[in-house]
């Protein structure tokens, strides 16, 4: 039997990197992607290959539809077919909505939300052919409840939650499951803007008394995408009891 192939967008570091490694350990072909950190993507590719899995690194901005088309052409040429799509690439912007420019709004919406549409739009026809597939979107607790000073970010993640529930209904008859993980505070570079005092104050709010680890998100992702064909349309919160 041919090996399965997974695409993890935004996987040079943080949550995406941990997810890519988790699938590599299960001997999937792994397609990794980032927009800036080419060297880190190459290093991850070597790490994945050392685990005995095949890896395709693709540097490109998934907020642009034509780039996503190129990405899927590269996947087709190398592996033929995509089985699992992990929409993980994302950016955050902290500040008052009234201070946000139109350019900044478009950047975060295109990166966090439109990229999910572009990747699904390319992946679904392939998955329909085999009557099989998993789509997992990395969302945030701010998509569930909203955060002050992260209005645009919350809107993109709330958009992902609605997108997930609706697409799950559309694709369930075709045996394609669509779910999302709403992450709480996970210890990655995305949270490096916090100074020590702010980080400690945040930890005090979390009943589990710590930030989550990227590996914990990866573990849940693997469970959702490999073990259950009846779980679909769910936004699963992983936040240590925080929100
Ligand atoms: P990081 O900032 O550590 O990593 C972000 C990744 O996304 C990098 O690989 C980055 O690539 C890539 N990326 C950013 N923009 C693009 C783009 N336009 N095209 C392709 N790749 C891109 O973030 P996290 O690992 O923390 O976050 C991953 C996901 O998890 C995001 O969707 C985020 O919103 C979500 N999340 C994170 C939480 C947290 O507390 N960390 C909480 C809730 C949700 P490059 O290295 O080239 O910049």
């Amino acid at each position: 039997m041919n090996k399965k192939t997974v695409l993890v967008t935004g996987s040079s570091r943080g949550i995406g990197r941990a997810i890519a490694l988790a699938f590599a350990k299960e001997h999937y072909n792994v397609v990794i992607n980032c927009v800036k950190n080419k060297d880190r993507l190459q290093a991850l590719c070597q790490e994945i290959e050392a685990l005995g899995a095949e890896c395709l690194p693709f540097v490109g901005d998934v907020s642009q539809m034509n780039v996503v088309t190129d990405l899927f052409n590269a996947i087709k040429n190398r592996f033929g077919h995509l089985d699992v799509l992990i929409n993980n690439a994302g950016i955050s912007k902290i500040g008052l909505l009234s201070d946000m420019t139109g350019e900044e709004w478009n950047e975060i919406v295109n990166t966090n939300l439109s990229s999910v549409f572009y990747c699904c739009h390319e992946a679904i026809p392939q998955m329909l052919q085999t009557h099989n597939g998993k789509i997992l979107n990395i969302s945030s607790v701010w998509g569930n409840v909203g955060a002050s000073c992260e209005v645009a970010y919350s809107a993109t993640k709330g958009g992902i939650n609605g997108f997930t529930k609706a697409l799950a209904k559309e694709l369930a008859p075709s045996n394609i499951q669509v779910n999302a993980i709403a992450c709480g505070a996970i210890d990655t570079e995305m949270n490096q803007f916090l100074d020590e005092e702010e980080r400690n104050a945040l930890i005090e709010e979390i009943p589990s008394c710590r930030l989550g680890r990227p590996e914990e998100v990866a573990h849940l992702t693997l469970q959702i995408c490999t073990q259950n064909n009846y779980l679909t349309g769910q936004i699963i919160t992983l936040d240590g009891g925080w929100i």
Side-chain angles (χ1 to χ4, degrees), residues 204-222:
E204 266 184 32
E205 285 179 22
I206 302 172
S208 295
C209 308
R210 62 174 177 83
L211 303 188
R213 300 182 191 104
E215 293 73 21
E216 290 170 318
V217 184
H219 184 251
L220 180 59
T221 300
L222 202 61

Side-chain angles (χ1 to χ4, degrees), residues 9-17 33-38 40-41 58-64 67 87-92 107 110-112 115 137-142 153 156-157 160 181-191 202 211-212 214 217 238 242:
T9 66
S11 38
S12 56
R13 52 200 165 93
I15 293 168
R17 180 180 191 281
N33 153 258
C34 77
V35 65
K36 293 184 203 130
N37 283 302
K38 195 178 171 185
R40 287 168 79 169
L41 203 69
F58 184 92
V59 178
D61 180 352
V62 292
S63 74
Q64 293 181 34
V67 175
N87 287 306
N88 167 78
I91 53 172
S92 69
E107 188 192 3
N110 291 336
T111 304
N112 293 7
S115 66
N137 300 321
I138 301 297
S139 187
S140 160
V141 289
W142 297 149
Y153 182 81
T156 63
K157 296 301 186 181
I160 285 180
I181 299 177
C183 296
I186 310 297
D187 200 0
T188 70
E189 288 172 33
M190 190 171 267
N191 289 316
L202 172 61
L211 303 188
V217 184
L238 183 71
W242 183 28

Side-chain angles (χ1 to χ4, degrees), residues 61-163:
D61 180 352
V62 292
S63 74
Q64 293 181 34
M65 196 168 191
N66 62 322
V67 175
V68 172
T69 304
D70 292 345
L71 165 60
F72 275 79
N73 284 336
I75 295 171
K76 203 171 178 190
N77 290 339
R78 175 77 182 268
F79 298 123
H81 183 77
L82 188 74
D83 302 278
V84 181
L85 167 62
I86 312 292
N87 287 306
N88 167 78
I91 53 172
S92 69
K93 288 189 188 292
I94 314 288
L96 294 173
L97 185 74
S98 45
D99 292 337
M100 178 169 257
T101 65
E103 262 177 30
E104 287 172 326
W105 170 267
N106 287 335
E107 188 192 3
I108 192 165
V109 170
N110 291 336
T111 304
N112 293 7
L113 185 56
S114 301
S115 66
V116 177
F117 160 62
Y118 301 148
C119 290
C120 289
H121 193 255
E122 291 283 346
I124 291 165
Q126 296 189 23
M127 293 177 173
L128 286 174
Q129 275 179 5
T130 51
H131 207 71
N132 217 313
K134 303 271 189 242
I135 297 171
L136 194 278
N137 300 321
I138 301 297
S139 187
S140 160
V141 289
W142 297 149
N144 299 344
V145 300
S148 168
C149 292
E150 292 196 65
V151 174
Y153 182 81
S154 302
T156 63
K157 296 301 186 181
I160 285 180
N161 292 353
F163 182 104

